[in-house]
Amino acid sequence: MPVFLKEEDISLVLCGEAGQGIQTVEAILAQAVKQSGYNIFSTKEYMSRVRGGQNSTEIRVSSHRVASYVDRIDILLALSSGAIDHLRDRISRDTLIIGDPEHIKSAKEEKTAGFSLDSNFIEVPLMETAQEMGGPIFANVIAAGALSCLLNIPKEIFDGLISDMFTRKGQEILQKDLKAGEAGYNMGKGLMESEKAPIHLSLHGKSSVRDELLINGTDAMGFGCLAGGCRFMSSYPMTPSTPLQTFLASNAHDFELVYEQAEDEIAAINMALGASYAGARSIVATSGSGFALMEEGVGLSGMIETPVVICIGQRPGPAVGLPTRTSQEDLNLALYSGPGEFSRVIFAPGKLEDAFTLTQRAFNIAEKYQIPVFILFDQYFADCYYNIPFLPLEEVENENYLVKTTPEYKRYLITHDGVTPRGIPGYGDGLVVVDSDEHDEEGHITEDLKIRTRMVDKRLQKMEQIREDAVAPELVGEDDYHSLIIGWGSTYWPIREALENISRKHPEEKLGFLHFKQVYPFHKSVAEYLEKAEDVIILENNAQGQMANLIKLETGFEIQEKFLKYDGMPFSVEEVQERVMKFMGMGDDGIMEDDSAQDEGEVLK
Amino acid sequence: MKPRDFDMPGADVAWCAGCGNLSILRSLKTALAELEIQPENLVFVSGIGQAGKLPHYIKGNVFNGLHGRSLSPATGIKAANPELTVIDVSGDGCMYGEGGNHFMHTIRRNPDITNLVHNNMVYGLTKGQASPTSQRDFNTPLQVDGVFLEPFNPLAVAIALNASFVARVFSGDRKQTIEIFKSAIEHKGYALVDIFQPCVTFNKVNTRNWFREHTYYLEDDHDPLDRNEAFRRATETGEYPLGIFYKNSKKSTFEENLSIYQEEKTPLFQRKFHRGKLQALMESKR
Ligand SMILES: Cc1ncc(C[n+]2csc(CCOP(=O)(O)OP(=O)(O)O)c2C)c(N)n1
Ligand code: SF4
C-alpha cells in the first residue's frame, strides 16, 4: 500500500513516556532539519511527571515558514504502547504510524479487527536494534536517524550534530551513538525503498534557512532581558517560567547580573524591588499561583514608584491547575493585582520577535514611568521553537532614567506629568526615601489627606503618557476588512496561519486579524479598528473572554462572537480555520485542505 | 560626627512618650556618628509597625516596605550595591511573625546587613495583640485565654542556623546598646540584634522594670565563638542574658559569593551593556 504524504509541510509527532529521551530526538531533529535548509517549528505537550505518562512533541518540517501548532499528524513515531491512544483524536487515515512492533501491536490489531483506527502502520525494530547497539538508551538516536533519513537530511549533518551532542561524554559513547544513528539511517532507507510502503517526501530546502536563528519563546524573552539591561532576577521555580529563570541564571556570569532563587515569591518580588531601588534593572518570573503571592509586592512597586518587570507564564488555574499545560487565564490577575490604584503596563508577545522587543521595552517603560510592567506569556509560547532570520538587536536603545541627587532631592516631587526624576541611594548627595505608606514629596509618611489626593493623582497621571507610548496592535490581512479576528499573546501564529489558508481559498473574503501585543493600556488606534469591522470574533485561551471584557471596558465595544478554548492545549490552525469559516457564514464544509504556500515571501513576511 | 548629624529636621515622631523606641533611636544615632557613617551611604530598610517607622526619624536613605518583608529588599539593595551600609529595622511581629520565612533564609544567605529587631513582645501599631515572642499567659483582646504557644526564641533559632552575629540588648541600657550596635554594624555578614524594648501602652507585663529585673549581662569570659555554649545561653529563660552571644566571622557573605563581584565591585547600575556579547550569544543559536 503506497503512502502519500504532504510534500511541502510535514507534521511529525514523537510520542513516548517522560524519561525516554524524546527531547534528545527533538533536539537532534530540530537542528538537523534547520541545517538542511528546511523550516522548522516544534512544540511539546507533556504531563506533570518526571517519568512515565505520555508526552509528545510536534515537529513541523516545511519548505515555507511555519510557526504554529496543527492537529494534523503526518508521521507519528510511537515510542511507547500508550502513544497511539494518547493521540487518537489527531490520527487520521493519512497518518503514517511508525513504531516498534510491541508499541503499535494493539492498535494494529484493532485495525485488522475492523475497528476505528484507519491508518498506515510501519513496524520498525527500534528496540531490537537498540539492544544490538548496546541497550535501550540508543533507541532515541536510532529513531532520530531513521526520521532524518526519511526527511532527506544529509548524513554528514546528522553525524555532526551527534558529535556536538555526545563528544563531551567521551569517545566510546560517541562512537556508539554514531553507530546507532547509522543503524537508524539504514532503517529509514529500508522504509523508503520497501515495496510495501514507499515513502515519498520532497521538501525544498533553502540555504538561507541554515543560517537563521533557531530559538524558542523563552530564549527570545531571555535575549530581551539582556538587551534591556537586566541586572537582577530573584524568583522561585514554577512551570512554565522556570526556563526563563534558568536562562538568566546561566547567563549571569557573562552579563554581570545577579540571579537569586528566593525562598518564595513574596521574597522574590521584594528583593527585586530592593535591587531596583538601588538602581539595578530587575525582573521576576513566575506563574499564576506564584504571582498571586507577589501581588502585595505589585502594590508596593506602585506605591514606591519603583520599576520592576514581572513575567507571568500562564497555565491553567485556579490554584495550581494543570501545571504543564497552557492558557491565557491571568490577564485579569495582572490587570487588577495589587491593592489600590496606580499605573501599570501589560505586554503579551505573539511572535519571537515581539518577545525580544517587548521584553527589552518592558525594562525601559518600567524605568521611564517607575511602574510595574508585566509580560504575559504561557507554556505554549515559552516552549515552541522555530527559525527566524534575526532579532533586531541593532535597534536596541536603553535610555538611562537615573539622576544624580542633590541635597535638596525629593523622591516624589510633584511634576507636570507625574514622573519624578529617579534618584538612587549612594549616587549623589541627596537622600532617597521611599515608603509603602502614603508619603509626602520627600517620601516621608504622611496622613495629610490633601497630599494623599495629590499623590494618587501623580501615580495615575502617568497613564496619559503611557498611553501615548503604547505599542500599536498589529493588523494582518486586508486593510478594508469586513470581518475582524481578534487575538492576543501566543495565539498569533495559529490565527495567522488559519487566516492565510482561508484567504488563499477565498480571496474575495475581506478578512483581517488584529493582534494585541500590548494588552494594557490600549493603543489609541484600537477603537477605530473595531468600529471599522462589520463582524468581530475573538479567540482566547480562557473561559470568560477576559480580553473581550477588557475591550468592552476600555472602548465600550462589545464583541459578540467568542471562540474560547481552555482545555490546556493551544489553538490548532485547523480549529481556528473551521471556527472562523463558520463565523464568516461559510457553512461547515469541514476543515479546508491545508495546501501549502506557493511563495513564502507572499504569505509570511 | 555627632548624633545630631543624624537628626531629621521636622520629623513627626509618632511614638508614645516613654516608649523604648525613643532610646533605640538615640542609641542608633550615637552608634552611627561614632562609626562616622555618611547618611548618603546609609540605607535603612523597614517593614510595618511602630519600629518600622524609625527610619523616618533618622537621616539616611529609606526603603520602608511591606510588613514582614524588610529583609528581602535589604538583601536586594546590598546585592545591587555592596558599597551601601544597610540596616534593617523591624518589630518582633514584623520580623518573626509575618517575616519568619525571610528571617530564616536571610540568615542562610548571610548578606552583610544589620538586623535590628525591636522586641516588645506585643504588637504595638495594631494595638496590643500577641506577638511571636509574647510570653505564656499574656492576655490580649485576641488571645482571650492568654497566650498558650511557646514563645519564639530568635537567638536560639539564629544560632541554630549559624547566623554570623547574634546579640541581645535592652533599650534602657543605652551605653551597652550603643557598643553592641557598633559591633553589629561593623560586623561583616548578617548581624541580628534583638532589642528588648518596653511598649508602655500595650504591654503592662514586660515593663521597663521587668526587663531590668529579668536581664543580666553575659560574663566577660563568654566566648562568642563557641556555638554550643552560645546556643545553651540563648535558651535560658526566666533570667535573660544580654550581650553578644555568638559570632562567626569565617562565613562569606551573600555578596562575596556572587560571581559578579569577584573581580570588580562596581554597583550594578554602573555596569555597561554588553551588546557584543549578546550579539555573540544570539549568533550561537544559528
Ligand atoms: C500584610 C499585613 N498584615 C497585617 C498588617 C497590619 N499590621 C501593621 S503593624 C502590625 C504588627 C506590628 O507589630 P510589631 O512588628 O511587633 O511592631 P511594633 O508595632 O510592636 O513595633 C500589623 C499586624 C500589615 N500592615 N500588613
Ligand atoms: S504603642 Fe508601644 S511600641 Fe508603639 S509607640 Fe507606643 S509604647 Fe511604643
Side-chain angles (χ1 to χ4, degrees):
Chain A
M1 171 191 51
V3 176
F4 293 106
L5 285 170
K6 301 243 168 356
E7 299 200 326
E8 301 263 333
D9 176 12
I10 296 148
S11 157
L12 181 81
V13 173
L14 318 163
C15 184
E17 296 176 2
Q20 271 192 321
I22 296 186
Q23 251 108 23
T24 312
V25 189
E26 179 189 3
I28 297 172
L29 277 182
Q31 274 302 334
V33 164
K34 198 200 82 168
Q35 288 194 18
S36 307
Y38 309 136
N39 291 283
I40 162 118
F41 164 83
S42 86
T43 178
K44 61 181 175 186
E45 56 89 20
Y46 57 108
M47 292 180 171
S48 182
R49 42 200 287 185
V50 175
R51 297 258 163 217
Q54 295 300 331
N55 301 339
S56 75
T57 292
E58 173 175 299
I59 300 179
R60 286 180 74 184
V61 184
S62 177
S63 300
H64 57 272
R65 286 192 189 284
V66 277
S68 36
Y69 168 73
V70 289
D71 277 332
R72 189 188 87 233
I73 300 178
D74 296 321
I75 301 177
L76 168 61
L77 177 69
L79 287 163
S80 64
S81 304
I84 295 172
D85 234 18
H86 179 65
L87 295 166
R88 191 169 282 262
D89 292 347
R90 294 172 56 195
I91 294 172
S92 75
R93 84 175 75 91
D94 297 326
T95 306
L96 177 67
I97 300 175
I98 303 177
D100 213 71
E102 83 178 87
H103 293 147
I104 59 180
K105 196 167 110 216
S106 67
K108 239 182 123 179
E109 279 165 6
E110 219 177 282
K111 185 185 168 184
T112 7
F115 291 129
S116 57
L117 204 69
D118 190 8
S119 300
N120 309 286
F121 292 93
I122 296 184
E123 291 183 350
V124 287
L126 271 179
M127 293 303 162
E128 200 186 301
T129 317
Q131 214 58 53
E132 285 164 19
M133 297 285 127
I137 53 160
F138 292 102
N140 53 13
V141 174
I142 298 170
L147 292 170
S148 297
C149 178
L150 288 181
L151 295 169
N152 286 326
I153 287 165
K155 180 86 177 347
E156 312 83 74
I157 291 184
F158 181 84
D159 285 349
L161 289 168
I162 294 288
S163 302
D164 289 348
M165 196 170 259
F166 295 103
T167 300
R168 68 193 151 81
K169 297 205 167 162
Q171 266 306 311
E172 197 184 331
I173 293 185
L174 171 63
Q175 288 311 323
K176 281 188 173 172
D177 277 302
L178 285 169
K179 257 183 78 188
E182 170 121 37
Y185 260 76
N186 290 336
M187 213 175 260
K189 241 180 244 145
L191 290 178
M192 290 166 90
E193 285 159 7
S194 109
E195 293 252 326
K196 245 173 74 201
I199 294 176
H200 298 294
L201 303 177
S202 57
L203 290 156
H204 305 297
K206 258 194 176 178
S207 58
S208 59
V209 170
R210 232 174 272 160
D211 299 325
E212 293 198 351
L213 297 170
L214 177 55
I215 57 171
N216 64 11
T218 297
D219 296 329
M221 286 188 288
F223 290 142
C225 289
L226 298 177
C230 177
R231 292 278 175 221
F232 190 93
M233 179 189 237
S234 43
S235 286
Y236 191 82
M238 188 168 187
T239 308
S241 75
T242 313
L244 183 63
Q245 300 182 35
T246 311
F247 181 101
L248 285 180
S250 65
N251 283 297
H253 287 193
D254 283 348
F255 291 87
E256 298 179 61
L257 61 92
V258 173
Y259 172 85
E260 174 63 1
Q261 180 178 321
E263 56 271 30
D264 55 31
E265 289 80 356
I266 299 171
I269 191 164
N270 281 282
M271 223 182 260
L273 285 170
S276 177
Y277 163 79
R281 293 188 168 209
S282 303
I283 190 172
V284 293
T286 181
S287 183
S289 260
F291 179 68
L293 289 174
M294 290 186 177
E295 285 205 56
E296 193 195 19
V298 177
L300 179 61
S301 166
M303 183 53 132
I304 64 177
E305 302 187 47
T306 296
V308 63
V309 175
I310 301 164
C311 287
I312 306 180
Q314 300 168 98
R315 66 191 220 191
V320 197
L322 288 169
T324 62
R325 304 295 173 182
T326 202
S327 83
Q328 296 183 307
E329 295 175 15
D330 295 331
L331 173 58
N332 287 343
L333 182 69
L335 188 62
Y336 298 112
S337 57
E341 300 168 298
F342 52 92
S343 300
R344 72 187 75 202
V345 166
I346 309 175
F347 293 125
K351 335 186 254 254
L352 296 178
E353 294 88 340
D354 287 350
F356 174 75
T357 313
L358 293 175
T359 309
Q360 183 265 335
R361 186 178 178 80
F363 285 94
N364 273 323
I365 293 290
E367 293 280 311
K368 184 171 180 185
Y369 296 107
Q370 308 169 21
I371 52 166
V373 174
F374 297 85
I375 299 171
L376 281 179
F377 68 105
D378 51 48
Q379 178 272 325
Y380 173 67
F381 187 80
D383 290 346
C384 59
Y385 279 92
Y386 55 91
N387 55 294
I388 51 169
F390 67 99
L391 289 172
L393 179 60
E394 298 78 55
E395 288 165 27
V396 166
E397 211 61 72
N398 287 325
E399 295 99 24
N400 176 30
Y401 296 103
L402 298 178
V403 297
K404 201 165 183 169
T405 57
T406 58
E408 298 75 41
Y409 180 74
K410 286 187 174 141
R411 178 65 189 87
Y412 299 109
L413 183 77
I414 305 268
T415 57
H416 67 287
D417 59 358
V419 180
T420 312
R422 191 160 75 97
I424 55 171
Y427 184 49
D429 307 319
L431 295 178
V432 181
V433 179
V434 304
D435 197 291
S436 59
D437 279 282
E438 193 53 273
H439 42 254
D440 59 18
E441 288 186 296
E442 278 185 352
H444 288 294
I445 295 184
T446 182
E447 294 192 57
D448 180 324
L449 304 186
K450 286 206 181 65
I451 297 181
R452 151 73 185 171
T453 307
R454 291 176 69 198
M455 284 294 165
V456 174
D457 291 343
K458 169 189 182 346
R459 293 187 288 264
L460 286 172
Q461 197 190 354
K462 298 176 188 176
M463 246 8 223
E464 286 168 31
Q465 195 56 41
I466 290 172
R467 275 180 212 282
E468 294 295 311
D469 266 353
V471 178
E474 178 182 341
L475 181 73
V476 180
E478 310 275 340
D479 223 4
D480 55 344
Y481 50 82
H482 291 167
S483 306
L484 188 64
I485 316 175
I486 307 271
W488 61 283
S490 70
T491 58
Y492 181 86
W493 279 117
I495 297 178
R496 182 162 171 169
E497 189 173 335
L499 175 132
E500 283 166 357
N501 289 344
I502 296 171
S503 300
R504 214 175 296 119
K505 278 242 155 177
H506 304 272
E508 73 290 354
E509 289 295 330
K510 296 209 176 289
L511 188 59
F513 164 36
L514 192 66
H515 178 260
F516 288 71
K517 40 199 97 238
Q518 172 156 347
V519 296
Y520 185 80
F522 291 161
H523 185 262
K524 52 181 181 296
S525 63
V526 166
E528 243 169 77
Y529 277 122
L530 292 164
E531 294 301 340
K532 235 173 78 181
E534 277 165 28
D535 281 307
V536 180
I537 183 171
I538 192 163
L539 278 78
E540 299 188 55
N541 283 135
N542 61 52
Q544 294 183 306
Q546 295 185 14
M547 184 66 181
N549 294 338
L550 180 58
I551 289 174
K552 169 111 192 282
L553 194 70
E554 292 283 296
T555 67
F557 189 96
E558 180 140 9
I559 300 174
Q560 302 288 353
E561 293 270 351
K562 297 184 188 116
F563 182 18
L564 306 173
K565 182 178 184 181
Y566 40 91
D567 65 354
M569 288 293 283
F571 284 111
S572 70
V573 174
E574 293 95 330
E575 68 190 337
V576 175
Q577 215 167 300
E578 193 178 0
R579 183 65 179 81
V580 170
M581 295 274 286
K582 212 170 115 200
F583 158 70
M584 297 195 331
M586 294 161 103
D588 37 25
D589 51 6
I591 299 167
M592 294 205 278
E593 272 293 289
D594 176 275
D595 52 350
S596 312
Q598 266 74 49
D599 178 356
E600 65 171 82
E602 174 195 302
V603 186
L604 292 156
K605 284 170 210 129
Chain B
M1 289 172 85
K2 297 256 155 48
R4 238 184 294 120
D5 296 335
F6 287 89
D7 283 354
M8 271 299 297
D12 172 21
V13 180
W15 289 325
C16 311
C19 171
N21 287 335
L22 293 158
S23 25
I24 297 175
L25 176 63
R26 263 186 289 150
S27 300
L28 185 57
K29 285 181 183 174
T30 311
L32 290 167
E34 288 180 14
L35 292 176
E36 302 276 331
I37 295 176
Q38 299 305 315
E40 303 78 52
N41 206 37
L42 187 57
V43 187
F44 294 104
V45 188
S46 66
I48 299 296
Q50 299 288 31
K53 291 178 181 169
L54 182 141
H56 287 289
Y57 311 148
I58 189 168
K59 227 182 208 160
N61 297 285
V62 177
F63 186 113
N64 184 183
L66 298 169
H67 189 46
R69 312 299 169 215
S70 56
L71 286 173
S72 303
T75 304
I77 292 165
K78 190 72 186 176
N81 187 352
E83 289 168 5
L84 299 167
T85 299
V86 180
I87 299 179
D88 182 301
V89 186
S90 311
D92 46 355
C94 198
M95 185 53 53
Y96 309 136
E98 192 87 2
N101 197 28
H102 311 307
F103 175 65
M104 172 161 95
H105 291 281
T106 304
I107 294 174
R108 292 180 52 228
R109 252 178 221 115
N110 197 35
D112 183 13
I113 62 178
T114 308
N115 188 12
L116 307 179
V117 186
H118 301 204
N119 182 358
N120 52 15
M121 303 179 180
V122 72
Y123 281 14
L125 190 61
T126 47
K127 304 192 172 175
Q129 303 80 20
S131 98
T133 53
S134 292
Q135 306 217 313
R136 281 180 194 267
D137 301 326
F138 188 62
N139 272 289
T140 86
L142 290 184
Q143 285 71 31
V144 291
D145 297 322
V147 170
F148 46 75
L149 307 187
E150 180 74 23
F152 182 74
N153 185 332
L155 304 189
V157 169
I159 295 165
L161 289 167
N162 201 9
S164 74
F165 182 104
V166 181
R168 178 160 57 207
V169 299
F170 165 50
S171 64
D173 187 348
R174 294 210 31 234
K175 207 165 142 257
Q176 291 292 338
T177 300
I178 291 166
E179 286 314 307
I180 289 180
F181 278 0
K182 277 162 55 187
S183 309
I185 295 166
E186 282 195 303
H187 174 80
K188 180 178 75 87
Y190 170 87
L192 170 69
V193 185
D194 185 72
I195 310 164
F196 277 161
Q197 167 236 340
C199 168
V200 295
T201 309
F202 295 111
N203 191 336
K204 306 288 187 200
V205 180
N206 311 103
T207 60
R208 177 180 310 270
N209 277 340
W210 185 92
F211 281 122
R212 255 196 216 300
E213 283 158 18
H214 290 81
T215 55
Y216 70 97
Y217 282 92
L218 287 167
E219 306 71 23
D220 285 347
D221 63 356
H222 171 75
D223 177 9
L225 302 177
D226 183 343
R227 187 160 164 224
N228 285 334
E229 178 62 10
F231 185 80
R232 199 179 65 75
R233 303 304 295 266
T235 54
E236 284 180 19
T237 50
E239 298 281 292
Y240 296 85
L242 302 172
I244 299 171
F245 284 65
Y246 180 59
K247 226 159 104 170
N248 180 351
S249 314
K250 291 201 206 81
K251 280 184 99 173
S252 56
T253 66
F254 178 59
E255 307 78 59
E256 282 173 341
N257 288 323
L258 294 173
S259 66
I260 49 159
Y261 294 119
Q262 312 283 302
E263 272 160 33
E264 53 161 337
K265 307 283 178 221
T266 317
L268 296 182
F269 78 95
Q270 279 171 339
R271 299 199 179 211
K272 296 272 164 305
F273 169 46
H274 301 289
R275 194 183 293 265
K277 266 192 194 168
L278 179 53
Q279 182 78 46
L281 178 65
M282 284 170 27
E283 289 304 316
S284 73
K285 300 287 182 178
R286 288 197 190 274

